[in-house]
Amino acid sequence: MADKKPFIVGIGELLWDVFPTGKRAGGAPINFVYHATQLGADGCAVSAVGDDDWGREILQELARSNIQGIISTVPYPTGRVQVELKDGIPSYTIVEDVAWDHLPLTPEALNAVSRADAVCYGTLSLRHAHTRETVKKLLAAAPQDALRFFDVNLRQSYYSGELIEELLGFANVFKLNDDELVILRNLFGLTGSDEEVCCALLQKYHLRYLIFTAGDKYSVIYTPDEISRINTPRVTVEDTVGAGDSFSGAFVCAVLMGKTLKEAHEAAVKTAAFVCTRAGAWPSYL
């Protein structure tokens, strides 16, 4: 893989993050694609928008950001999220029954996933039965040797133990943060130290990587053979929107380009720190 550009696909929510100061395009799997492509991968976003002004505007934003998209237009409004910031840390109010809740299964999306080197997905986009079935069929089409990156991305009440377990069945990379680990402990009755729980999950679900992030403290990446731990660098935070997704995109891009675990982890930490110093999920790398 080191001698050619990796091809990565993000499946799920495409939306406007609406801040008090205005709106910015986002959505976790699409953020993942943006950052991976900025770092040298070829990427494709699979999602849906409405036949409305916000949908047309977000498609223009994708084009300006050089994000390839298989974006269906459906008879529901384009997704949006109200974002409030406190000391740069966001909280989200996610509007329901929007376009990405009704993602159709298309031949173009199946073709993209079937040739992907990495596919990214999370729980949020599966909150509605329509998109849930589409995403599961797309994941089933991914190559066996592809990185199937499950960022658990727990939001509001849009998850369950059953859903997380089902999605882990597709994954060989699992990412969660310290707050999400607390929730998983309660959902699955997990006991032991954070490291013991992460190692147990790695083994139980036959993962290639388990990524555990602890905000401004540190991050750890576990594999069956080694562990990488890096303290989070201190930066002046503008906001943390999209920082976790940029970590994911940078890590996957580096791994697929032949970097070692430590090198890929360092690239992920550096990228996430940079994104924290900029506003919004798709900052310019220039």
Side-chain angles (χ1 to χ4, degrees):
M1 187 61 60
D3 60 347
K4 73 179 186 72
K5 279 190 174 186
F7 178 57
I8 61 97
V9 177
I11 308 169
E13 61 272 19
L14 173 62
L15 49 83
W16 288 106
D17 288 320
V18 183
F19 296 80
T21 55
K23 69 183 189 295
R24 302 189 192 106
I30 318 305
N31 299 342
F32 172 92
V33 171
Y34 173 81
H35 292 286
T37 56
Q38 292 296 304
L39 294 165
D42 286 329
C44 179
V46 177
S47 191
V49 297
D51 184 13
D52 51 31
D53 288 343
W54 278 28
R56 287 182 281 276
E57 190 175 349
I58 207 167
L59 291 177
Q60 293 171 357
E61 191 71 15
L62 286 173
R64 277 195 294 270
S65 300
N66 295 314
I67 300 175
Q68 298 178 42
I70 298 171
I71 312 297
S72 300
T73 300
V74 297
Y76 295 87
T78 298
R80 64 188 187 280
V81 176
Q82 297 296 138
V83 184
E84 295 185 7
L85 297 173
K86 184 176 181 180
D87 299 325
I89 308 300
S91 61
Y92 304 97
T93 302
I94 305 170
V95 177
E96 297 189 10
D97 204 26
V98 294
W100 55 262
D101 287 314
H102 301 274
L103 178 64
L105 183 67
T106 66
E108 294 82 3
L110 281 167
N111 176 265
V113 171
S114 71
R115 56 189 178 86
D117 299 304
V119 180
C120 177
Y121 62 100
T123 56
L124 178 57
S125 66
L126 281 80
R127 66 181 181 177
H128 191 282
H130 188 160
T131 296
R132 182 178 301 191
E133 290 308 308
T134 295
V135 172
K136 288 194 295 184
K137 288 174 182 175
L138 289 172
L139 292 175
Q144 282 300 306
D145 59 350
L147 292 178
R148 297 183 299 280
F149 193 109
F150 175 28
D151 185 346
V152 69
N153 196 26
L154 302 180
R155 295 285 184 262
Q156 295 176 201
S157 59
Y158 304 126
Y159 61 87
S160 66
E162 180 183 10
L163 176 61
I164 293 168
E165 184 116 37
E166 184 175 20
L167 293 177
L168 275 167
F170 290 101
N172 53 28
V173 185
F174 183 42
K175 178 174 175 287
L176 72 166
N177 63 33
D178 46 354
D179 291 331
E180 291 163 341
L181 182 57
V182 172
I183 296 171
L184 262 62
R185 284 179 180 275
N186 293 330
L187 285 175
F188 297 117
L190 303 172
T191 59
S193 68
D194 289 351
E195 181 169 330
E196 288 169 337
V197 170
C198 288
C199 289
L201 290 170
L202 182 81
Q203 182 176 16
K204 179 177 180 180
Y205 294 102
H206 308 290
L207 300 170
R208 292 168 62 177
Y209 303 95
L210 186 143
I211 301 170
F212 177 70
T213 60
D216 61 0
K217 298 184 285 294
Y218 62 88
S219 56
V220 188
I221 302 180
Y222 300 87
T223 80
D225 303 313
E226 58 182 316
I227 297 173
S228 175
R229 178 186 174 112
I230 298 178
N231 290 333
T232 303
R234 299 298 176 187
V235 297
T236 301
V237 175
E238 178 69 22
D239 69 54
T240 63
V241 176
D245 305 320
S246 72
F247 184 111
S248 304
F251 176 76
V252 165
C253 187
V255 166
L256 291 174
M257 289 181 170
K259 303 298 185 183
T260 66
L261 175 65
K262 179 62 74 175
E263 289 170 338
H265 192 182
E266 288 171 347
V269 169
K270 180 180 178 180
T271 302
F274 160 72
V275 171
C276 286
T277 68
R278 301 293 190 271
W282 301 355
S284 172
Y285 276 59
L286 299 178

